[in-house]
């Protein structure tokens, strides 16, 4: 009986531990505040950078931290810039702190800007995809810190798409939407990815950055995580964030992914699919989100994925490439499906997916199983390499 009671008590403690909420790096102020006190601080942040439900800048200023400069990524410090739009420097009207844009002509802090600070803080919410540009910004910040011999403090955040899938990038296709030899979903937090950049020698001249990672608590990669703040203007719902790894591939096609609507990355369609699908939507110009969307002011027909149950795919740790196969088959003029000459809004399908084979495979009518087989052995080799840098199970 005594042994049974002990087992019940242990089981109860394990269950309680399993139910504990995720605690982000930023929320653990008591851990990193001593590292900032009395120092001139630079911060790489955006609206996802919060402590509790308050902007991290406001919270740290109240605690006496001297924030010298704010650096902003794609979409700007206040997330008010469209996808790919040049973001300008400004003075933050709420705090009076200079905001330096790192998404325009300048991609990393200058030596003078780094000399003006003692330490850099990186607190950005990533979504776990190779083509989401925050991991590119991460490397630029790491290089600037390495050159200036300054410590980079990373306040880690969960990866809402914590699985690994897709072909490893063919580095002859390196571009702004693919800078690293990783799959489409890399399965790492920003802190883990920073360790991989260091460990794999992915900075120029194989530099090393002095990292201090404030680790997450109560986190596993397979956990569902609902983002408290939209990470960018066109990822405005949890459904769009979870669908993004699969739907962003369609930026390399003639199909709209819903930019120019209130439901981006939850719908797919094109005018030419009229009669094939009943669901329709019409992209329009939306300043701050999508000024000139694909198929602007045209009615598009296709798939409504706003209520699609993505959980089985996430549990399997897989992208959904069935939609690409289906919609290519349904599109009447297949010569136009991947044709970039139709619009400047159409990206390179090779660069997005990371291989020149994917387009050919879709055009040849290959099955999903056949396409997935072609991702090996690179995908398995990446998974093995990734293990060296993981901070969480």
């Amino acid at each position: 009986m005594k042994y049974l009671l002990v087992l019940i008590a242990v089981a109860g403690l394990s269950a309680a531990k399993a139910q504990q909420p995720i605690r982000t790096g930023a929320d653990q102020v008591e851990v990193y505040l001593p590292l900032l006190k009395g120092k001139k601080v630079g911060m790489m942040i955006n609206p996802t950078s919060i402590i509790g439900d308050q902007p991290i800048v406001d919270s740290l200023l109240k605690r006496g931290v001297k924030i010298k400069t704010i650096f902003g990524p794609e979409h700007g410090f206040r997330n008010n810039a469209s996808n790919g739009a040049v973001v300008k420097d400004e003075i933050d009207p709420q705090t009076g702190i200079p905001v330096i844009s790192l998404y325009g002509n300048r991609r990393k802090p200058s030596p003078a800007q780094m000399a003006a600070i003692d330490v850099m803080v990186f607190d950005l919410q990533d979504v776990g995809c190779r083509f989401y540009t925050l991991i590119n910004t991460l490397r630029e910040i790491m290089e600037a810190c390495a050159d200036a011999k300054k410590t980079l403090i990373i306040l880690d955040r969960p990866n809402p798409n914590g699985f690994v899938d897709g072909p490893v990038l063919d580095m002859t296709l390196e571009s702004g939407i693919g800078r690293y030899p990783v799959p489409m979903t890399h399965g790492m937090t920003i802190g883990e990815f920073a360790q991989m950049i260091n460990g794999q020698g992915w900075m120029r001249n194989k530099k090393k950055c002095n990292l201090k990672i404030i680790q997450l608590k109560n986190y596993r990669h397979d956990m569902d995580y609902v983002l408290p703040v939209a990470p960018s203007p066109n990822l405005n719902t949890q459904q769009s964030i979870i669908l993004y790894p699969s739907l962003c591939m369609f930026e390399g096609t003639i199909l709209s992914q819903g930019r120019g609507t209130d439901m981006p990355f939850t719908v797919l369609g094109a005018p030419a699919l009229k009669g094939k699908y009943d669901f329709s939507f019409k992209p329009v110009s939306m300043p701050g989100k999508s000024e000139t969307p694909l198929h602007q002011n045209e009615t598009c027909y296709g798939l409504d994925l706003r209520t699609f149950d993505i959980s089985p795919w996430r549990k399997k740790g897989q992208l959904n490439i069935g939609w690409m196969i289906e919609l290519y088959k349904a599109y009447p003029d297949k010569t136009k499906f991947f044709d970039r000459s139709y619009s400047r809004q159409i990206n390179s399908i090779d660069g997005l997916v990371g291989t020149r084979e994917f387009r050919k495979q879709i055009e040849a009518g290959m099955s999903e199983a056949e396409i997935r087989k072609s991702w090996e052995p690179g995908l398995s080799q990446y998974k093995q390499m990734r293990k060296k840098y993981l901070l969480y199970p």
Side-chain angles (χ1 to χ4, degrees):
M1 183 68 174
K2 184 176 179 181
Y3 178 68
L4 178 61
L5 289 173
V6 170
L7 283 177
I8 292 172
V10 170
L13 287 171
S14 298
K17 185 175 182 180
Q19 294 170 4
Q20 288 180 346
I22 295 171
R23 198 166 181 221
T24 68
D27 285 339
Q28 299 172 60
V29 182
E30 70 283 359
V31 176
Y32 62 88
L33 190 60
L35 305 176
L36 305 180
K37 282 288 188 180
K39 295 183 178 178
K40 293 175 287 185
V41 179
M43 302 195 77
M44 187 73 207
I45 53 176
N46 67 9
T48 67
S49 313
I50 55 175
I51 297 173
D53 60 358
Q54 298 297 312
I56 191 170
V57 167
D58 299 340
S59 292
L60 293 183
L61 288 174
K62 290 176 183 176
R63 289 173 167 88
V65 175
K66 298 176 182 177
I67 302 174
K68 175 77 174 178
T69 311
I70 295 169
F71 297 94
E74 183 180 9
H75 306 299
F77 168 53
R78 297 290 178 188
N79 252 8
N80 56 358
S82 300
N83 177 61
V86 173
V87 182
K88 297 180 180 179
D89 296 347
E90 62 180 352
I91 299 295
D92 179 42
Q94 296 184 31
T95 62
I97 299 172
V99 180
I100 306 299
S101 168
L102 298 183
Y103 199 83
N105 295 327
R106 183 193 304 112
R107 295 297 171 125
K108 69 179 180 180
S110 68
Q113 289 162 352
M114 291 301 300
I117 64 173
D118 299 318
V119 64
M120 179 73 81
V121 174
F122 190 106
D123 181 25
L124 297 174
Q125 177 64 62
D126 189 41
V127 296
C129 300
R130 187 209 307 130
F131 32 71
Y132 200 69
T133 62
L134 292 189
I135 53 175
N136 301 344
T137 302
L138 173 64
R139 184 171 71 179
E140 300 293 353
I141 293 293
M142 288 177 65
E143 286 193 353
C145 287
D147 290 340
K149 296 181 171 52
K150 304 288 171 73
T151 296
L152 177 61
I153 299 173
I154 295 179
L155 307 182
D156 217 1
R157 292 187 176 273
N159 179 351
N161 294 300
F163 62 96
V164 179
D165 200 26
V168 172
L169 176 67
D170 175 349
M171 290 302 287
T172 65
L173 294 169
E174 183 179 0
S175 70
I177 54 172
R179 293 271 173 86
Y180 309 95
V182 301
M184 292 169 67
T185 52
H186 52 70
M188 306 185 86
T189 67
I190 281 289
E192 292 172 325
F193 204 95
Q195 292 197 138
M196 187 162 64
I197 290 173
N198 256 354
Q200 294 300 119
W202 286 343
M203 286 192 283
R204 295 177 185 87
N205 301 318
K206 300 189 182 298
K207 298 170 186 172
K208 302 284 186 182
C209 175
N210 183 29
L211 296 172
K212 174 65 178 177
I213 301 169
I214 309 303
Q215 296 184 28
L216 294 155
K217 289 188 176 179
N218 311 316
Y219 172 72
R220 299 188 316 273
H221 285 281
D222 62 356
M223 282 182 165
D224 290 331
Y225 178 68
V226 178
L227 273 64
V229 177
S232 55
N234 284 296
L235 293 179
N236 59 350
T237 64
Q238 184 67 10
Q239 185 77 347
S240 67
I241 292 163
I242 302 304
L243 288 171
Y244 177 72
S246 297
L247 267 60
C248 194
M249 286 186 280
F250 286 90
E251 289 189 342
T253 75
I254 200 167
L255 269 66
S256 165
Q257 316 88 46
R259 291 188 188 275
T261 74
D262 291 324
M263 45 193 178
F265 291 104
T266 59
V267 297
L268 291 168
L273 290 173
K274 183 177 182 179
K276 303 270 188 174
Y277 296 91
D278 294 330
F279 172 71
S280 66
F281 59 94
K282 183 183 288 187
V284 297
S285 179
M286 300 181 74
K289 290 184 71 174
S290 186
E291 279 80 3
T292 57
L294 182 63
H295 302 308
Q296 183 174 339
N297 299 323
E298 296 181 81
T299 301
C300 298
Y301 298 84
L303 300 178
D304 180 1
L305 302 172
R306 287 174 291 177
T307 59
F308 178 82
D309 184 7
I310 197 71
S311 55
W313 286 93
R314 196 182 184 287
K315 287 176 182 176
K316 286 194 294 184
Q318 289 187 343
L319 300 157
N320 188 326
I321 58 175
W323 291 322
M324 183 71 73
I325 295 170
E326 173 189 342
L327 289 164
Y328 178 79
K329 287 180 179 178
Y331 202 82
D333 187 349
K334 293 177 174 40
T335 62
K336 294 182 178 178
F337 193 80
F338 296 111
D339 185 2
R340 297 184 66 189
S341 68
Y342 178 80
S343 171
R344 288 185 298 175
Q345 301 299 326
I346 300 177
N347 215 319
S348 163
I349 188 66
D350 296 350
L352 282 162
V353 179
T355 171
R356 293 181 175 86
E357 299 306 310
F358 183 75
R359 171 178 176 165
K360 298 173 186 176
Q361 292 164 339
I362 296 295
E363 291 174 336
M366 289 177 64
S367 68
E368 180 168 345
E370 290 172 322
I371 293 172
R372 287 187 169 280
K373 187 177 180 181
S374 72
W375 298 348
E376 297 294 354
L379 184 57
S380 293
Q381 290 169 349
Y382 168 79
K383 288 178 179 178
Q384 188 63 32
M385 180 269 284
R386 165 181 171 268
K387 290 179 181 179
K388 296 185 289 184
Y389 307 109
L390 296 181
L391 299 170
Y392 317 102

